[in-house]
Amino acid sequence: MKSVRIENVTKKFGNVLGVSELNLEVKPGEFFTFLGPSGCGKTTTLRMIAGFYYPTTGKVYFDGQDVTTLQPNKRNIGMVFQNYALFPHMTVDENIAFGLQVRKLPKSDIRQKVDRIRGLVHLGQYGSRKINELSGGQQQRVALARALVIEPDILLLDEPLSNLDAKLREETRVEIKRIQTELGVTTIYVTHDQTEAMSMSDRIMVMESGLVKQVGTPQEIYHKPNNRFVATFIGETNMLEMKVSSIEGDVVTVESENGLILRGLVNGAAKEVQLAADSTIHVSIRPEAFEAGPGDNTVKGTIEFVEFTGLSVNYIVHVNGTSLKAMIINGGSAIKAVRDEIELHIPPRNLYFLAE
Amino acid sequence: MKQQAEYQRSWWSRATQSPYFVYLLISPLFLILFAYVVYPFYSTFLQSFAGNDTLANYRKFFSLESTANLEALWNSVYISIISVICCAVVGVTMAFLLERYEFPGRRLLSVLVLVPMALPPLVGVLSFTFLYGESGIFPRFFQHLFSLEEVPFSLKGIWGVVVVHTFTMYTYFYLTASAAIKGLDPSLEEAATSLGAGRIRVWTKVILPMLTPSIIASSLLVFMVSMASYTAPLMFGVERTMTMQIYLARTNGNLDMAATQSTILSIVSILFLLIMRWYQNRRNYQNLSKGVSVHRSEVTSKPLKTISIILSFAGTLILILPILVLILISFSKDGSWTIQILPTDYTLDHYKALFTDERTWRPIWNSIQMGAVATVGNILFGVAAAYAMVRLSFKGKSLLDTLIMIPWALPGTVVAVNLIAAFSTESPFAFNQVLIGTFWILPLAYFVRHLPLVFRSTSASLLQLDQSVEEASRSLGASWWYTFRRIVLPLTLSGIIAGTLLALVQSIGEFVASILLYSTTTIPLSVAIFQKLYAFKFGTACAYGVLQILLILIVLLISEKLSKGSAGSAI
């Protein structure tokens, strides 16, 4: 269990910038996720921690020890690859034992450790199977076992669930989290799937175009995004450009160009937002922020689109020239149809103000 | 002390991290290519300008007063063009018949269709002269049948060369065309038909355009191989071809002229190689669609069925006769077969002699030794070059690839002339020895001629091996060398072995460069066959030939097994 610290790391591929001026600290035992769209630099960062890339400038530390240019085989890391990268000419046990053989452990120790870890990932009966005789989910667990059996200081997971089907992905997600908690190993997880990131992580780093957009707990990232990219990338939201018309006490009134007037709270603003009358501001309203019927911030409009998902009813409502996405939890009440009028309200605490 | 160790380690790690370190790693590869490919070529090039008047040789070559050379150039081009056309017609037709139609005898024919690949060039030409040459079995048979004064027909001259070329080279067209036809999505034809296109339109607008890339690629290849062909013109006595002119100039001691002819022929060959590579790079590979397999239409109507039976019987016969005749003659008593249709006396002596008579066994053993030496070189170079090519990133990759392919594109005759130019004097690349006339020159020639074989097959299997598998091993603590031994080697072994066997068997049968380079103390197998032929010891020559064919068949069988085995374990 080690900490990872990245200091001012920049990685260039020729003239292409992979990661720019990255700073980061992962605590011992933490489950830390790099989240972002493809090409944002998350895998590049992971590979620099693994030692497959060396940073162009900057340093990488494990527990304060400089490992910036240490070879990958000297780092004592466990890595699970997107395509699992299992050795196709070996059995399950041979795959798992590989790292232990490299470490020249006695045969009996290897046997014991392999058996134990195989049990941990629920592959008890499959020790002598060939890799191509396993299903995708089983291969995934072999890859995990192989990375964990060497008792790595840091576990690196590069989109490990992306090759599994939806149902298996959910099961495996829970499984990985369970094993990680049980072993307490420092884990860095790369994904573009926000559900995975939100459900598993202690903390998340959101990246875009080689830059860190925000680091925080899942709740912080979701409820207190620092910028519009994070707000729109994580979950769904209605992003409106509005003007601050007045600030009275802790109540902020905003108005859109076409006359939609809403009220929010002063503390419902991102860190660097300066609320001032007459300034332009972005307002983020999550679809689930809407509540049925009239109340504070009542909006009336025409329904453009209805979607019933079972759990909820999703509407797109046309209000004063703006289309708003609203999600109402299905409470059994009647569902309206397209072109019907609808009345909803948004509690002021659900308005979130962003700069830019 | 500790600080110093620390410093040294960081010095080393800094060196290995340097973007220029990779050039240190690949420098031996380039050194070998420079020493044994570029430098010999350059030596020949220099020699072609030798003499007081630097351009004299070229002026002589293109002179209109003695047109032997120009005629040879024209003949080579002419033979090559005709060969391309004949091979294309035979190869593509065979591919269509065997891939798209079901008729009696199809299965047997589709195995036998590759027989020409198992014939070493010299042995192939040999069996053709026995079958269809002036004193061959068929012309004699018809002469006796109709009691004629002379044989009614026989293979000779340029047309003899073309027939042999067609027989041995149509497989290039057959292989690429049948692969393309297999990849042809039948739903495309169905789509065209559903849009109202008739049979002819489907062919001209859909099928042929889809086959064009493979046909053009094979045309370039056959043209190149025909230009390089030496054995067929030699056996059919066509002296006015480029390769024969080089051989004659060299044996007459006119080395400068041989160098000039080689240079001109090299330029043509390299030009074709470059065109071929350019074409292959810009060509789009069609995605194979899954699920639907190509539909074979069955031949049902009675007359068509009869015709197809006759034709496939004839095809089978044509394909198998060259091997049968070799086997037959290998049992005939030397000197007993003169004007009869078939040999009259038979014996097992030739096969016994192969392994018991020191004089007969010697060439076999020579070839095995020299082939083994060359193949070891090919393995070391090929595996290293393939790894560098696939896994390392450096500038000059396409140069490396081209340099490896060039000796393969050059006619064997030219390779031989180049080596003569470079190594008939002491050379630093031969550790200040003269190589010509020693044991070592032939292994070197074999090594150079077969450079791409191990390289190609190894890089093909390396390309299939995902890089993350190696990275996984590294992340588990394995060093580069440990990873190479336990992961990379086992997973690419089948590719390496396939290339190695091919290189070995080709080296053992190599004739074209051998005939120009061999030293009398280490006569190789192919030259021995040639000499036995001229001494009218047909039986021994054919026994040698059958041995070679057996060797090739074994290699093909093993390669087939290997490629099937590796398909199962591929990720």
Side-chain angles (χ1 to χ4, degrees):
Chain A
M1 221 204 296
K2 279 187 178 174
S3 69
V4 177
R5 187 153 55 89
I6 294 178
E7 239 177 48
N8 286 323
V9 160
T10 297
K11 175 67 184 172
K12 284 182 185 163
F13 299 97
N15 288 322
V16 183
L17 198 64
V19 174
S20 171
E21 290 293 310
L22 188 111
N23 284 288
L24 169 71
E25 174 124 33
V26 180
K27 295 179 204 120
E30 193 172 25
F31 195 113
F32 195 95
T33 298
F34 299 168
L35 174 66
S38 57
C40 71
K42 54 190 192 298
T43 297
T44 306
T45 312
L46 189 81
R47 290 173 67 83
M48 285 191 285
I49 295 170
F52 296 128
Y53 294 156
Y54 297 142
T56 312
T57 58
K59 296 275 180 202
V60 179
Y61 298 95
F62 288 179
D63 261 3
Q65 185 206 351
D66 183 356
V67 296
T68 313
T69 59
L70 194 67
Q71 298 215 351
N73 49 325
K74 310 258 169 71
R75 296 193 181 202
N76 198 31
I77 46 164
M79 182 148 173
V80 176
F81 293 79
Q82 187 169 4
N83 62 356
Y84 317 138
L86 297 173
F87 308 133
H89 57 309
M90 298 181 186
T91 63
V92 169
D93 275 357
E94 284 164 353
N95 263 281
I96 299 176
F98 185 86
L100 299 173
Q101 288 165 357
V102 171
R103 284 165 176 72
K104 299 203 169 69
L105 261 65
K107 277 218 169 89
S108 57
D109 284 16
I110 294 182
R111 186 73 263 155
Q112 199 185 342
K113 280 175 190 278
V114 168
D115 282 343
R116 197 181 76 85
I117 204 83
R118 203 167 4 79
L120 189 71
V121 298
H122 303 311
L123 280 173
Q125 305 305 311
Y126 294 92
S128 53
R129 286 278 186 100
K130 281 267 188 196
I131 294 306
N132 56 10
E133 295 166 356
L134 299 180
S135 70
Q138 290 165 336
Q139 291 185 5
Q140 213 279 338
R141 279 179 279 161
V142 176
L144 190 64
R146 185 179 69 177
L148 286 171
V149 77
I150 59 171
E151 289 159 29
D153 293 325
I154 295 142
L155 176 65
L156 305 174
L157 302 150
D158 185 5
E159 309 222 13
L161 304 182
S162 61
N163 284 338
L164 300 178
D165 63 52
K167 198 167 175 314
L168 205 55
R169 200 177 304 166
E170 210 170 303
E171 275 174 36
T172 315
R173 196 172 80 202
V174 177
E175 195 74 352
I176 289 179
K177 183 66 187 169
R178 173 183 71 80
I179 293 169
Q180 193 265 341
T181 319
E182 204 173 313
L183 301 178
V185 59
T186 311
T187 302
I188 298 179
Y189 189 98
V190 164
T191 183
H192 62 261
D193 182 316
Q194 43 167 307
T195 321
E196 281 172 27
M198 300 292 276
S199 59
M200 299 168 87
S201 317
D202 295 323
R203 281 194 302 155
I204 298 172
M205 172 169 78
V206 184
M207 296 182 76
E208 192 217 0
S209 317
L211 296 170
V212 178
K213 287 302 199 180
Q214 187 168 359
V215 179
T217 63
Q219 290 94 320
E220 280 166 359
I221 299 273
Y222 191 77
H223 291 302
K224 303 259 175 219
N226 280 349
N227 46 56
R228 282 198 290 156
F229 175 79
V230 176
T232 48
F233 186 73
I234 310 287
E236 266 195 286
T237 193
N238 296 291
M239 190 64 72
L240 307 172
E241 193 176 315
M242 297 179 103
K243 210 165 142 185
V244 179
S245 44
S246 69
I247 305 170
E248 291 157 16
D250 59 351
V251 178
V252 184
T253 310
V254 289
E255 189 177 345
S256 78
E257 257 180 19
N258 34 33
L260 176 69
I261 298 172
L262 296 172
R263 279 174 303 128
L265 302 175
V266 170
N267 60 10
K271 253 186 263 167
E272 61 269 33
V273 175
Q274 301 288 322
L275 289 167
D278 280 343
S279 62
T280 306
I281 207 164
H282 292 277
V283 183
S284 160
I285 307 164
R286 300 270 185 206
E288 70 269 22
F290 290 85
E291 284 174 16
D296 276 349
N297 286 332
T298 301
V299 289
K300 267 192 202 162
T302 325
I303 295 173
E304 285 180 333
F305 175 80
V306 189
E307 181 186 66
F308 177 70
T309 68
L311 173 71
S312 66
V313 187
N314 300 335
Y315 295 107
I316 294 178
V317 186
H318 195 75
V319 186
N320 291 21
T322 314
S323 292
L324 297 175
K325 280 180 267 180
M327 187 189 94
I328 307 298
I329 295 295
N330 175 22
S333 52
I335 294 163
K336 299 199 180 243
V338 173
R339 280 191 290 280
D340 283 356
E341 292 286 312
I342 191 168
E343 200 171 34
L344 300 165
H345 73 278
I346 314 163
R349 65 185 148 80
N350 289 349
L351 261 62
Y352 188 74
F353 301 115
L354 284 154
E356 289 168 44
Chain B
M1 272 309 273
K2 200 186 162 201
Q3 247 177 353
Q4 200 177 351
E6 190 77 357
Y7 172 77
Q8 274 177 356
R9 203 201 62 165
S10 73
W11 172 85
W12 173 247
S13 75
R14 241 182 311 160
T16 54
Q17 247 192 79
S18 152
Y20 301 105
F21 181 69
V22 63
Y23 293 97
L24 188 71
L25 290 178
I26 58 170
S27 56
L29 298 176
F30 276 99
L31 186 69
I32 288 172
L33 288 171
F34 179 78
Y36 304 118
V37 176
V38 179
Y39 169 69
F41 184 68
Y42 179 69
S43 305
T44 304
F45 188 70
L46 274 192
Q47 197 177 20
S48 72
F49 293 105
N52 296 330
D53 179 2
T54 47
L55 283 175
N57 289 314
Y58 288 89
R59 224 172 279 134
K60 216 194 246 158
F61 186 98
F62 290 105
S63 122
L64 293 175
E65 278 155 31
S66 108
T67 54
N69 282 315
L70 280 179
E71 219 178 292
L73 184 59
W74 164 245
N75 270 343
S76 284
V77 173
Y78 176 72
I79 290 175
S80 302
I81 292 174
I82 304 281
S83 301
V84 168
I85 296 171
C86 293
C87 291
V89 171
V90 175
V92 176
T93 313
M94 287 296 252
F96 258 102
L97 291 180
L98 292 175
E99 291 296 335
R100 299 300 288 273
Y101 294 96
E102 183 60 80
F103 52 88
R106 184 188 66 80
R107 273 165 192 283
L108 180 66
L109 207 54
S110 62
V111 174
L112 290 179
V113 76
L114 292 176
V115 159
M117 294 184 76
L119 283 178
L122 179 63
V123 178
V125 182
L126 195 68
S127 61
F128 260 72
T129 53
F130 285 142
L131 279 171
Y132 312 108
E134 256 186 308
S135 52
I137 294 171
F138 277 95
R140 284 271 169 79
F141 173 74
F142 285 106
Q143 186 190 7
H144 281 252
L145 193 66
F146 302 113
S147 317
L148 302 170
E149 288 281 299
E150 285 173 30
V151 289
F153 66 89
S154 70
L155 269 192
K156 58 185 169 207
I158 288 181
W159 288 101
V161 175
V162 169
V163 168
V164 169
H165 280 186
T166 308
F167 183 80
T168 48
M169 296 175 201
Y170 83 88
T171 46
Y172 294 119
F173 276 96
Y174 172 76
L175 285 175
T176 52
S178 69
I181 292 167
K182 268 186 206 142
L184 207 71
D185 185 350
S187 59
L188 288 179
E189 279 169 64
E190 288 162 8
T193 315
S194 76
L195 292 167
R199 233 190 168 151
I200 293 172
R201 188 179 286 270
V202 170
W203 266 83
T204 53
K205 296 283 176 192
V206 181
I207 297 181
L208 283 181
M210 304 262 303
L211 290 186
T212 315
S214 68
I215 290 176
I216 291 181
S218 334
S219 298
L220 289 167
L221 188 62
V222 169
F223 189 91
M224 257 169 60
V225 178
S226 297
M227 283 296 282
S229 165
Y230 166 75
T231 323
L234 176 73
M235 300 293 285
F236 288 108
V238 185
E239 285 184 3
R240 295 282 156 87
T241 66
M242 287 301 285
T243 46
M244 281 300 285
Q245 288 293 308
I246 295 172
Y247 172 69
L248 292 174
R250 151 81 181 148
T251 41
N252 293 339
N254 191 352
L255 293 183
D256 295 351
M257 196 59 209
T260 308
Q261 291 157 338
S262 289
T263 306
I264 291 171
L265 187 53
S266 307
I267 290 169
V268 176
S269 303
I270 293 175
L271 206 68
F272 263 82
L273 176 72
L274 294 179
I275 295 175
M276 211 159 86
R277 289 175 54 94
W278 168 80
Y279 184 77
Q280 277 171 346
N281 284 338
R282 68 177 272 282
R283 150 183 173 190
N284 296 324
Y285 286 93
Q286 306 285 346
N287 268 335
L288 307 185
S289 56
K290 293 174 195 165
V292 205
S293 64
V294 180
H295 167 75
R296 278 187 215 280
S297 3
E298 198 158 339
V299 178
T300 42
S301 85
K302 200 118 203 209
L304 272 181
K305 211 165 187 174
T306 321
I307 292 174
S308 72
I309 290 175
I310 293 171
L311 281 183
S312 57
F313 181 71
T316 308
L317 211 60
I318 290 173
L319 286 167
I320 202 127
L321 268 178
I323 290 182
L324 290 183
V325 78
L326 280 179
I327 296 174
L328 181 80
I329 296 176
S330 70
F331 289 108
S332 77
K333 266 198 179 130
D334 283 343
S336 70
W337 186 34
T338 48
I339 54 159
Q340 303 84 346
I341 299 173
L342 291 173
T344 45
D345 300 321
Y346 294 92
T347 169
L348 278 170
D349 287 350
H350 305 308
Y351 285 98
K352 276 188 214 143
L354 277 190
F355 301 103
T356 52
D357 183 352
E358 160 66 17
R359 275 171 309 161
T360 330
W361 166 246
R362 180 63 26 203
I364 301 176
W365 181 234
N366 284 342
S367 276
I368 290 175
Q369 278 179 309
M370 295 190 289
V373 171
T375 307
V376 169
N378 282 133
I379 297 172
L380 294 177
F381 180 89
V383 173
Y387 192 87
M389 199 69 186
V390 177
R391 285 291 186 258
L392 304 181
S393 66
F394 55 92
K395 287 208 173 78
K397 268 194 176 181
S398 65
L399 178 70
L400 180 66
D401 197 34
T402 311
L403 283 180
I404 293 174
M405 291 309 283
I406 279 179
W408 171 83
L410 288 182
T413 321
V414 172
V415 171
V417 169
N418 289 352
L419 291 176
I420 292 168
F423 297 110
S424 51
T425 54
E426 291 161 12
S427 154
F429 300 124
F431 307 101
N432 281 328
Q433 304 285 318
V434 175
L435 288 188
I436 298 296
T438 69
F439 168 85
W440 294 100
I441 190 69
L442 276 183
L444 180 61
Y446 300 160
F447 167 74
V448 170
R449 285 209 76 188
H450 305 137
L451 266 183
L453 294 180
V454 180
F455 168 75
R456 285 270 138 151
S457 61
T458 308
S459 45
S461 21
L462 262 178
L463 279 171
Q464 284 190 348
L465 175 64
D466 196 286
Q467 179 150 20
S468 63
V469 173
E470 276 170 71
E471 286 173 356
S473 162
R474 299 277 277 151
S475 79
L476 292 166
S479 64
W480 181 87
W481 176 237
Y482 191 87
T483 306
F484 189 78
R485 266 190 314 127
R486 287 223 32 210
I487 308 295
V488 179
L489 264 190
L491 288 173
T492 51
L493 199 62
S494 62
I496 297 173
I497 291 177
T500 301
L501 288 174
L502 200 61
L504 183 66
V505 98
Q506 295 228 4
S507 293
I508 290 175
E510 212 281 344
F511 174 64
V512 182
S514 306
I515 188 82
L516 281 168
L517 291 172
Y518 76 92
S519 73
T520 41
T521 47
T522 50
I523 292 177
L525 181 56
S526 54
V527 174
I529 296 180
F530 189 66
Q531 289 176 344
K532 295 285 181 233
L533 209 60
Y534 273 71
F536 294 102
K537 293 187 173 166
F538 296 152
T540 316
C542 287
Y544 278 142
V546 171
L547 187 73
Q548 270 194 46
I549 292 172
L550 276 180
L551 216 62
I552 292 174
L553 286 180
I554 291 170
V555 164
L556 287 180
L557 220 73
I558 296 177
S559 302
E560 173 103 357
K561 278 262 154 62
L562 281 176
S563 68
K564 268 193 192 132
S566 72
S569 67
I571 340 165

